[in-house]
């Protein structure tokens, strides 16, 4: 184990560039939820990849914004900013569509950290050919002295191994920090709540996903079946009605999809019960946020 390498790597970028999708690919397991909507990720979490000679501890973060309103927004921003503390390298994620105004803030934070920064250009499956990426790579190289610039397609796993190789070179020689079988720092309970929230982000539009917090009431294995009960907290009665749907149809769909995702994540049969409750302005209420697990 003399040459064992181990270190921490943070993924940063504006919302929706594919940080969590990339993290799951790099880890090789689903530890972070993803959706087509910005700000799906609310909390910092670790994804841990252990191999024979290396352990890489990835930090997933909420997307970086210069300013965000409300207590939840502030919590998310703090989680993103402090994720640069104590890491060995940074992966700044943008997309193959090119630099946008919203990429400038994460770029600024990443490049001011005094750490090696690798630029991952994600979603290359959405451009027609490789050569059309060259101008973007050239432009990016002028913006900052990135250690490497790696085009990837996180969704289908393309070139993610090249990104991993580039990162390994930046890690210090030291023994692993986590047991070889540990893939995240979060509990199964947390992942269960996230898998419910993921379905809300994927299944509902407009303000609904942002009005929902999920609290796990029960998480218990009994005779080979995992029993999970969760409350979906919303801010208004109207949102509750939308989440439940006519005759409970929407809740049923959300529940089925979340249950299947849990079965995949935890293995074995899952029984899932969902409840919807109203707590006005929870997203701007420090006590409610604490109760729902949004703590610094
Ligand atoms: P995050 O907010 O940066 O964590 O982004 P997510 O990982 O939640 O992904 C945002 C959206 O981009 C989701 O709909 C993903 O499926 C999609 N996405 C992520 N990676 C890729 C990719 O390589 N190609 C394409 N076409 N879509 C991707
Ligand atoms: Mg995310």
């Amino acid at each position: 184990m003399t040459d064992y390498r181990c270190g921490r790597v943070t993924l940063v970028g504006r919302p929706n560039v594919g940080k969590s999708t990339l993290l799951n690919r790099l880890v090789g397991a689903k530890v972070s939820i993803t959706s087509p909507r910005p700000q799906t990720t609310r909390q910092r979490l670790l994804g841990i990849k252990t191999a024979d000679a290396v352990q890489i501890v990835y930090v997933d973060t909420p997307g970086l914004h210069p300013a965000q309103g409300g207590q939840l927004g502030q919590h998310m921003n703090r989680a993103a900013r402090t994720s640069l503390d104590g890491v060995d390298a940074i992966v700044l994620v943008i997309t193959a569509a090119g630099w946008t105004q919203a990429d400038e803030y994460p770029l600024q934070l990443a490049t001011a950290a005094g750490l090696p920064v690798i630029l991952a250009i994600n979603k290359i499956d959405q451009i027609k050919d490789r050569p059309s990426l060259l101008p973007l790579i050239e432009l990016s190289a002028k913006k900052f002295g990135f250690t490497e610039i790696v085009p990837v397609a996180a969704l289908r796993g393309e070139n993610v191994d090249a990104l991993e190789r580039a990162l390994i070179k930046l890690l210090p020689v030291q023994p692993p920090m986590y047991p070889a079988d540990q893939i995240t720092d979060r509990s199964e309970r947390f992942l269960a709540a996230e898998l419910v929230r993921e379905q809300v982000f994927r299944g509902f539009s407009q303000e609904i996903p942002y009005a929902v917090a999920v609290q796990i009431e029960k998480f218990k294995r009994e005779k080979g079946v995992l029993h999970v009960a969760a409350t979906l907290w919303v801010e208004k009665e109207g949102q509750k009605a939308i989440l439940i749907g006519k005759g409970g149809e929407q809740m049923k769909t959300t529940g089925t999809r979340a249950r299947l995702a849990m079965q995949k994540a935890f293995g074995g049969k899952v029984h899932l019960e969902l409840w919807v409750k109203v707590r006005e302005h929870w997203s701007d209420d420090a006590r409610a946020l604490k109760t729902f697990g949004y703590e610094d």
Side-chain angles (χ1 to χ4, degrees):
M1 288 253 270
T2 49
D3 287 338
Y4 201 95
R5 281 175 191 270
C6 174
R8 294 190 183 85
V9 174
T10 288
L11 306 181
V12 296
R14 69 176 159 87
N16 223 26
V17 288
K19 296 176 295 298
S20 298
T21 307
L22 184 57
L23 177 117
N24 290 338
R25 274 288 170 192
L26 285 160
V27 171
K30 176 154 182 163
V31 295
S32 192
I33 62 166
T34 66
S35 93
R37 283 172 213 293
Q39 306 186 55
T40 308
T41 308
R42 285 186 185 155
Q43 313 233 56
R44 184 175 33 174
L45 62 86
L46 302 183
I48 305 160
K49 168 76 180 285
T50 305
D52 286 342
V54 62
Q55 180 173 75
I56 316 177
V57 180
Y58 294 101
V59 187
D60 194 13
T61 58
L64 280 164
H65 285 260
Q68 240 168 28
Q71 301 252 8
L72 179 63
Q74 284 170 29
H75 166 85
M76 287 165 65
N77 242 355
R78 267 197 307 277
R81 269 189 278 111
T82 56
S83 68
L84 298 181
D85 301 342
V87 302
D88 300 291
I90 297 170
V91 177
L92 174 65
V93 186
I94 63 168
T95 77
W99 288 89
T100 69
Q101 190 53 41
D103 294 311
E104 295 297 328
Y105 182 65
L107 171 70
Q108 211 183 326
L109 278 179
T111 57
L115 294 165
V117 184
I118 291 182
L119 181 70
I121 302 177
N122 191 26
K123 309 197 186 183
I124 56 167
D125 54 296
Q126 289 185 330
I127 54 159
K128 54 181 190 306
D129 54 14
R130 278 303 174 85
S132 65
L133 262 179
L134 287 176
L136 177 58
I137 292 174
E138 273 167 29
L139 172 69
S140 302
K142 285 195 195 118
K143 279 193 178 268
F144 181 71
F146 293 108
T147 308
E148 287 196 42
I149 297 177
V150 188
V152 296
L155 197 59
R156 59 185 195 205
E158 195 181 332
N159 217 34
V160 172
D161 52 342
L163 176 61
E164 186 187 68
R165 282 195 300 276
L167 284 168
I168 290 172
K169 290 187 220 157
L170 303 175
L171 303 183
V173 173
Q174 60 176 350
M177 294 185 262
Y178 293 91
D181 60 354
Q182 188 174 343
I183 57 170
T184 180
D185 62 329
R186 296 285 181 166
S187 63
E188 288 189 321
R189 262 181 108 97
F190 173 82
L191 182 57
E194 288 288 273
L195 291 173
V196 173
R197 213 163 56 73
E198 181 173 61
Q199 291 311 327
V200 175
F201 264 74
R202 292 181 177 182
F204 295 87
S205 59
Q206 291 167 9
E207 98 274 17
I208 298 292
Y210 305 98
V212 172
V214 178
Q215 191 177 22
I216 299 294
E217 315 280 358
K218 179 165 94 179
F219 191 93
K220 211 162 99 190
R221 284 194 174 81
E222 254 169 9
K223 294 180 192 137
V225 180
L226 177 64
H227 293 265
V228 183
T231 301
L232 287 79
W233 290 97
V234 291
E235 305 205 284
K236 296 174 189 153
E237 286 296 336
Q239 295 163 345
K240 178 174 168 175
I242 294 171
L243 265 186
I244 292 172
K246 265 205 187 81
E249 238 0 87
Q250 293 290 342
M251 236 338 61
K252 216 171 125 188
T253 307
T254 305
T256 303
R257 290 182 178 156
R259 182 173 57 78
L260 293 174
M262 284 181 206
Q263 290 188 168
K264 206 167 158 195
F266 304 133
K269 207 168 170 314
V270 173
H271 180 264
L272 175 64
E273 247 178 282
L274 297 180
W275 305 91
V276 185
K277 290 181 190 165
V278 180
R279 176 145 172 186
E280 281 182 22
H281 310 299
W282 68 258
S283 70
D284 204 22
D285 173 347
R287 260 186 49 209
L289 285 173
K290 212 172 149 183
T291 309
F292 300 160
Y294 299 104
E295 261 184 293
D296 289 322

